[in-house]
Amino acid sequence: MEKRTLGRNGPQVSALGLGCMGMSDLYGPADEAESIATLHAALDAGITLLDTGDFYGMGHNEMLIGDALKGRKREQVQLSVKFGALRDYAGNWLGYDGRPQAVKNFAAYSLRRLRTDYIDIYRLSRVDPDVPIEDTIGAIADLVKAGWVRHIGLSETGADTIRRAAAVHAISDLQIEYSLISRGIEAEILPACRELGIGITAYGVLSRGLISGHWAADTQLAKGDFRSVSPRFGADNLAHNLALVEALRAVAADLGATVAQVAIAWVRSRGDDIVPLIGARRRERLAESLGAATLQLSATDLARIEAAVPAGAAAGERYMAQQMAHLDSER
């Protein structure tokens, strides 16, 4: 597995990371044994970057990763953890908390659930509008000084906030949605990160399965799958978006690859400072996605891909309006 360094001052990680959210939350029920097997398969394939959040399954995802890492060398894995999202027992979203005292509380619980004595990258999941980003970053910096955290990351933040955060402490990477149908970071956010030496960990590279090549108009969703209310999966937008996938499928066929592999490889091709996060929660999907690690795209290939799925071509926002309002990156 190729390695990439996250930003000017961040850790060296695998060129593809594993996003673990779906193993615990938001995509309906998951098979825990299969999730553990998928985590093991990812580690055995050379993936070292595991991304989680303390609110994925209200702690379940961190405990799952802690179980999967038993018997593994801790220094061979980089754990990226998001915090700050508040939820009730039913899973409803209650807001975000970036207060310094809350930061240290969240970290203490994550360390216990992960069964580790340090977190490689720690980041606020969404900017708390009631707390200056400088205060939140300063609290994480205290954890860095204490040895509980190695690096500080950001999540879904806009260019101005990125600059304010970087003035307090070195930032390793920005985690943000980036895919063929979500290219909003290219105008201001990506240039700001490159100016400051901040890497990108790109989530949603398959747009939650929409551009995986496996989605169909009649796909049935399990109870609790948030895609049932996601605008891009709605009846008014789905046919349009699946037509883009079919155009991409024709390009993939010529390359001897799958749609998912081409979509992931496109994100990977955008720069050595970008690490795509694979959202696989089954070994079958992981194996397919890993094929993107060796898929080399020429300038001609890239031109064909972007002609099939032009920038801004998707129908629908990437989140519901209420969730979009929490995205500092969209302001």
Side-chain angles (χ1 to χ4, degrees):
M1 175 68 68
E2 175 193 352
K3 300 287 187 180
R4 291 186 170 182
T5 301
L6 285 180
R8 192 176 294 146
N9 301 296
Q12 187 179 69
V13 302
S14 51
L16 297 177
L18 183 65
C20 302
M21 180 188 77
M23 297 177 180
S24 300
D25 210 356
L26 298 173
Y27 289 152
D31 183 310
E32 190 158 313
E34 180 61 23
S35 295
I36 293 285
T38 301
L39 282 159
H40 287 166
L43 296 170
D44 292 342
I47 287 180
T48 66
L49 179 63
L50 303 181
D51 180 76
T52 185
D54 62 11
F55 50 94
Y56 292 164
M58 280 68 87
H60 176 270
N61 203 240
E62 290 178 319
M63 291 188 288
L64 183 77
I65 291 172
D67 287 342
L69 293 181
K70 287 179 181 178
R72 302 273 175 165
K73 293 183 178 180
R74 174 65 180 87
E75 64 273 15
Q76 294 179 349
V77 179
Q78 295 85 44
L79 297 176
S80 171
V81 180
K82 292 182 290 299
F83 69 91
L86 305 175
R87 302 178 72 182
D88 65 16
Y89 188 78
N92 299 308
W93 302 92
L94 306 176
Y96 298 91
D97 192 346
R99 294 172 302 147
Q101 61 267 44
V103 171
K104 295 172 183 180
N105 177 77
F106 287 133
Y109 280 81
S110 285
L111 288 163
R112 181 63 61 90
R113 286 187 292 258
L114 288 162
R115 302 188 188 93
T116 185
D117 57 3
Y118 69 92
I119 295 168
D120 295 274
I121 312 169
Y122 202 46
R123 68 183 88 241
L124 182 64
S125 58
R126 298 288 186 269
V127 174
D128 182 342
D130 297 324
V131 179
I133 193 65
E134 291 86 352
D135 292 356
T136 303
I137 297 300
I140 307 176
D142 289 343
L143 295 174
V144 173
K145 292 176 185 175
W148 300 116
V149 169
R150 297 284 173 86
H151 303 279
I152 301 178
L154 295 170
S155 176
E156 286 289 355
T157 48
D160 290 344
T161 305
I162 292 168
R163 290 191 171 91
R164 288 169 54 199
V168 176
H169 190 278
I171 304 298
S172 64
D173 66 307
L174 168 68
Q175 187 175 119
I176 196 164
E177 186 168 354
Y178 189 35
S179 73
L180 274 167
I181 63 172
S182 295
R183 297 179 60 175
I185 73 169
E186 293 176 346
E188 296 182 2
I189 293 174
L190 183 55
C193 286
R194 286 176 168 164
E195 171 193 333
L196 297 166
I198 296 171
I200 299 289
T201 42
Y203 77 87
V205 293
L206 297 180
S207 196
R208 299 159 188 83
L210 180 59
I211 59 171
S212 66
H214 300 294
W215 203 269
D218 60 354
T219 297
Q220 297 297 306
L221 293 172
K223 182 180 180 181
D225 193 319
F226 88 105
R227 289 172 292 191
S228 64
V229 294
S230 179
R232 288 181 175 170
F233 290 84
D236 294 339
N237 298 323
L238 186 58
H240 172 89
N241 293 330
L242 289 179
L244 297 175
V245 175
E246 291 310 306
L248 186 60
R249 195 186 303 277
V251 179
D254 289 344
L255 293 172
T258 69
V259 174
Q261 289 167 347
V262 170
I264 296 167
W266 179 87
V267 176
R268 179 173 162 269
S269 77
R270 306 307 286 173
D272 291 339
D273 53 351
I274 296 175
V275 174
L277 296 174
I278 300 166
R281 57 179 185 165
R282 301 198 309 274
R283 284 169 287 180
E284 174 189 3
R285 291 287 184 256
L286 172 68
E288 178 186 11
S289 295
L290 285 170
T294 55
L295 180 58
Q296 300 299 318
L297 301 174
S298 68
T300 300
D301 297 333
L302 292 169
R304 289 190 64 201
I305 291 166
E306 295 188 28
V309 187
E317 297 283 2
R318 54 196 184 102
Y319 286 105
M320 294 173 62
Q322 183 179 9
Q323 294 170 309
M324 290 291 288
H326 288 294
L327 298 179
D328 184 74
S329 56
E330 294 289 339
R331 294 173 186 163

